[in-house]
Amino acid sequence: MDNKSDYRTNIIGAGEVGCAISVDMDKSAIHNTNSFFWDTKGNDALGTIALPLYGAFVSEEKCQFFDDVSRKKVLEIGCGSGQSLQYLGEHKASELWGMDISEKQIEKTTRRLTECGLSVKLICSPMEEECGIPENYFDYAYSVYAIGWTTDLECTFCRIASYLKKDGIFIFSWSHPIHKCVAIENNMLAFKKCYFDESWYSVSLDGSALSLSDRKLSTYVNALAKAGFIIEQMIEESDDDIMRNKNSDFAKKAKMLPVTFVIKARKL
């Protein structure tokens, strides 16, 4: 995780941003807004979260969601600039696939993996849409802080299920819904947004807009069940070892409530 990672997990949530503006749920407009943001600002504005970290204070090395990935086919949803694919490639995954809504992110991933001597197949597309990814093909699908950008969660989970073999594993992380509603004010935690409000909103960051929706945890769980997944594990607590000697306001908040959640699910 780079030095902007705390900032990234802290900014994604209407409760943390005073200038959030409600917007209509228009898939095309949201795709255009967010793809432009990632093409032009992206990691510079929000930092990078990538394996072996799933987000603020949660690590693969501690949680061990992945078994041995050697000779396994893996697909990343929202591959960003390719660090997570590189991590799994270095752990000997047999095939690396990635998709992202941003052409610039695809270009970054291509450069990174080429420089590392790794072969990868990349597709630029919104995760909700049919894009030519093979079905019943992958052993693992995963997403590190990208699933929350989808405009259609149920459709996205159904597509991901279709990509996986029977008993294939889906792992994803995102900002915890409670974290996204609570802000620090005068050294105290204060609810700034209704937990049950899943409406779409727009925020401005570094002169560019991005659009998001803060979904309830039950929305993710129910969408997984509808898509034919069974949850095997969920993590929402911060890792004390990672948090040790962290004194930022964000770290103090993470000691009191979950800021990241990670789910491991299996396709039935």
Side-chain angles (χ1 to χ4, degrees), residues 81 104 106-116 122:
S81 49
K104 292 296 183 183
I106 293 291
E107 292 172 6
K108 289 180 181 179
T109 297
T110 300
R111 286 196 301 270
R112 174 180 291 275
L113 271 66
T114 298
E115 290 171 358
C116 295
L122 299 171

Side-chain angles (χ1 to χ4, degrees), residues 6-7 12 14 51 55-56 70 119 150 152 155 193 218 244 255:
D6 273 8
Y7 180 50
I12 298 183
L51 293 175
S70 60
S119 176
T150 182
D152 190 331
C155 178
K193 178 180 181 292
S218 60
R244 202 178 309 279
K255 293 176 182 177

Side-chain angles (χ1 to χ4, degrees), residues 55-247:
F57 318 123
V58 183
S59 73
E60 167 62 17
E61 293 169 348
K62 179 72 172 286
C63 297
Q64 297 289 293
F65 287 114
F66 285 92
D67 295 319
D68 182 6
V69 297
S70 60
R71 299 180 297 280
K72 301 297 186 182
K73 300 170 183 175
V74 301
L75 167 67
E76 181 168 14
I77 308 299
C79 61
S81 49
Q83 292 97 320
S84 294
L85 284 168
Q86 178 185 346
Y87 175 84
L88 293 176
E90 291 172 347
H91 282 74
K92 309 304 181 185
S94 64
E95 288 189 29
L96 302 174
W97 290 64
M99 69 176 305
D100 201 282
I101 197 172
S102 164
E103 290 280 5
K104 292 296 183 183
Q105 297 291 69
I106 293 291
E107 292 172 6
K108 289 180 181 179
T109 297
T110 300
R111 286 196 301 270
R112 174 180 291 275
L113 271 66
T114 298
E115 290 171 358
C116 295
L118 295 170
S119 176
V120 64
K121 298 179 182 179
L122 299 171
I123 295 172
C124 187
S125 172
M127 64 186 80
E128 309 90 324
E129 297 181 359
E130 197 286 321
C131 59
I133 294 175
E135 297 186 350
N136 302 306
Y137 188 76
F138 296 93
D139 301 287
Y140 287 96
Y142 70 96
S143 179
V144 180
Y145 263 68
I147 284 295
W149 296 89
T150 182
T151 59
D152 190 331
L153 189 68
E154 289 187 0
C155 178
T156 295
F157 283 173
C158 285
R159 290 202 182 278
I160 292 170
S162 74
Y163 304 147
L164 287 165
K165 300 174 182 176
K166 185 180 184 302
D167 292 321
I169 297 297
F170 174 38
I171 301 162
F172 74 95
S173 66
W174 187 245
S175 290
H176 197 287
I178 287 292
H179 153 58
K180 290 158 70 71
C181 295
V182 177
I184 295 179
E185 288 187 352
N186 300 319
N187 294 317
M188 297 182 66
L189 297 179
F191 265 86
K192 304 294 288 184
K193 178 180 181 292
C194 175
Y195 176 82
F196 304 106
D197 181 6
E198 296 187 318
S199 59
W200 282 83
Y201 60 89
S202 176
V203 297
S204 179
L205 189 61
D206 284 2
S208 186
L210 57 90
S211 296
L212 288 166
S213 169
D214 296 337
R215 299 177 177 92
K216 305 186 300 291
L217 197 56
S218 60
T219 299
Y220 290 99
V221 171
N222 292 332
L224 284 169
K226 189 171 183 178
F229 286 104
I230 182 170
I231 294 174
E232 293 193 338
Q233 191 175 1
M234 176 177 167
I235 297 292
E236 58 179 353
E237 59 268 27
S238 298
D239 186 331
D240 288 338
D241 290 336
I242 300 176
M243 292 181 66
R244 202 178 309 279
N245 299 321
K246 300 284 188 180
N247 295 313

